[in-house]
């Protein structure tokens, strides 16, 4: 019988320091045959582990169009993530996955895409952004609105520069008031405020939102004011997940298990969840 809790063994191929306490790992399968069979879709997540320390849940931050590796980005905050942060190139960690549902990018073909992200919440957005950019002919206008507390807290700085220079992408970056530097050329203001200023059209447009709960709370009304329908607004919930199978019950909310029924939900679906969630 297959052990559903047995992780793949993954070698850390590279480490990128994204922001204070935030790192990105590029991981390859130590068993190349397992790696050749592995597939995932954008929006799915995994359980990353350091043997003897435990597991931590976060998204697969790379695009499924990029083969032979996966990437994850995490902030060092707790026991497991601190243990992960102590690892370096050449070290081996565990990975279980992929779990959860997906962003239905095949349903978005021919539409405009609006990505809205805040802080460390850009990693799950990064997967779907690159997935759509690698299939660029399938979509119309692509707009990315991304903000963080300070300039130093912006992640994927090299990729932000690449997106900014692409003629087929509109990138708007912002930092909270007081978080700018003398040479900062982006916006200054909270993400919902800047989104209202940019005022993207809701016509034939899908909005994907990912960020801290307070950012999402104040972004949804802006999208509603701009004319976005709830069924055209997507987000991803990652907190409280543990086992990945809906067995431990930690991510249970109402009738749903975030790890099985999510983590991707539309705003319309979220309205059916208990208010306290």
């Amino acid at each position: 019988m297959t052990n559903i809790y047995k992780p793949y063994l993954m070698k850390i191929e590279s480490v990128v320091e994204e922001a204070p306490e935030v790192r990105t790992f590029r991981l390859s399968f130590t068993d190349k045959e397992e790696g050749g069979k592995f597939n995932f879709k954008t929006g799915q997540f995994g359980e990353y582990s350091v043997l003897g320390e435990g597991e931590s849940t976060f998204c697969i931050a790379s695009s499924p169009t990029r083969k032979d590796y996966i990437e994850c980005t995490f902030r060092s905050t707790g026991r497991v993530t601190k243990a992960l942060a102590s690892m370096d190139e050449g070290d081996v960690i565990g990975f279980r996955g992929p779990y959860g549902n997906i962003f239905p990018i095949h349903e978005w073909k021919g539409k405009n895409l609006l990505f809205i992200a805040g802080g460390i919440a850009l990693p799950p957005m990064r997967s779907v952004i690159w997935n759509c950019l690698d299939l660029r002919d399938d979509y119309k206008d692509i707009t990315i609105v991304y903000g963080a507390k300070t300039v130093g807290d912006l992640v994927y700085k090299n990729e932000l520069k690449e997106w900014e220079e692409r003629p087929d992408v509109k990138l708007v970056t912002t930092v909270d008031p007081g978080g700018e530097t003398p040479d900062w050329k982006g916006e200054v203001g909270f993400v919902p405020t800047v989104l209202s200023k940019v005022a993207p059209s809701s016509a034939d447009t899908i909005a994907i939102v990912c960020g801290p709960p307070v950012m999402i709370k104040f972004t949804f009304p802006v999208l509603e004011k701009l004319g976005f329908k709830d069924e055209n607004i997507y987000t991803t919930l990652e907190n409280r997940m543990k086992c990945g199978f809906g067995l431990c019950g930690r991510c249970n909310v109402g009738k749903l298990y975030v790890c099985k029924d999510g983590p991707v939900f539309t705003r319309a679906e979220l309205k059916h969840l208990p208010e306290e969630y």
Side-chain angles (χ1 to χ4, degrees), residues 1 12 50 61 101 110 129 154 176 178 188-189 228 267 275-276:
M1 182 177 179
I12 301 174
V50 176
N101 65 355
I129 289 173
L154 295 166
D176 292 355
V188 176
F228 284 84
R267 190 188 183 199
E275 186 175 344
E276 62 270 19

Side-chain angles (χ1 to χ4, degrees), residues 121-159:
L122 185 58
M125 194 80 82
R126 177 193 190 227
S127 175
V128 68
I129 289 173
W130 276 121
N131 200 159
C132 293
L133 288 178
D134 286 346
L135 304 172
R136 188 63 185 87
D137 291 344
D138 286 348
Y139 309 99
K140 294 195 291 187
D141 294 342
I142 293 181
T143 302
I144 304 169
V145 178
Y146 172 54
K149 288 184 178 180
T150 71
V151 174
D153 290 315
L154 295 166
V155 298
Y156 306 135
K157 294 179 178 64
N158 290 335
E159 292 176 35

Side-chain angles (χ1 to χ4, degrees), residues 186-259:
E187 299 284 339
V188 176
F190 299 111
V191 169
T193 304
V194 172
L195 176 64
S196 183
K197 176 182 176 181
V198 175
S201 172
S202 61
D204 209 22
T205 303
I206 299 294
I208 306 96
V209 185
C210 194
V214 66
M215 189 209 87
I216 294 176
K217 176 182 177 180
F218 288 103
T219 297
F220 279 170
V222 174
L223 290 172
E224 184 176 352
K225 186 176 180 180
L226 290 171
F228 284 84
K229 296 179 179 179
D230 290 344
E231 57 268 27
N232 289 336
I233 302 173
Y234 290 79
T235 191
T236 178
L237 306 177
E238 294 193 348
N239 56 332
R240 293 168 40 174
M241 292 187 289
K242 185 65 177 177
C243 73
F245 304 110
L247 297 179
C248 72
R250 287 188 54 174
C251 69
N252 172 243
V253 52
K255 298 180 179 180
L256 304 179
Y257 289 90
V258 175
C259 69

Side-chain angles (χ1 to χ4, degrees), residues 33-110:
E33 184 177 351
E34 286 183 335
K37 296 177 181 178
F38 180 82
N39 288 291
F40 74 97
K41 294 185 178 181
T42 188
Q44 293 188 296
F45 69 95
E47 302 283 348
Y48 303 79
S49 59
V50 176
L51 301 182
E53 295 293 340
E55 296 179 315
S56 191
T57 307
F58 22 92
C59 69
I60 301 173
S62 51
S63 169
T65 54
R66 313 292 175 95
K67 303 299 183 180
D68 300 323
Y69 67 86
I70 62 171
E71 290 179 322
C72 66
T73 301
F74 63 94
R75 187 190 300 277
S76 177
T77 56
R79 173 181 168 177
V80 178
T81 50
K82 288 181 184 295
L84 283 168
S86 71
M87 310 295 276
D88 212 335
E89 292 181 9
D91 290 339
V92 174
I93 67 171
F95 168 80
R96 288 196 294 115
Y99 302 126
N101 65 355
I102 66 174
F103 285 106
I105 62 172
H106 59 286
E107 297 177 6
W108 303 346
K109 288 184 178 181

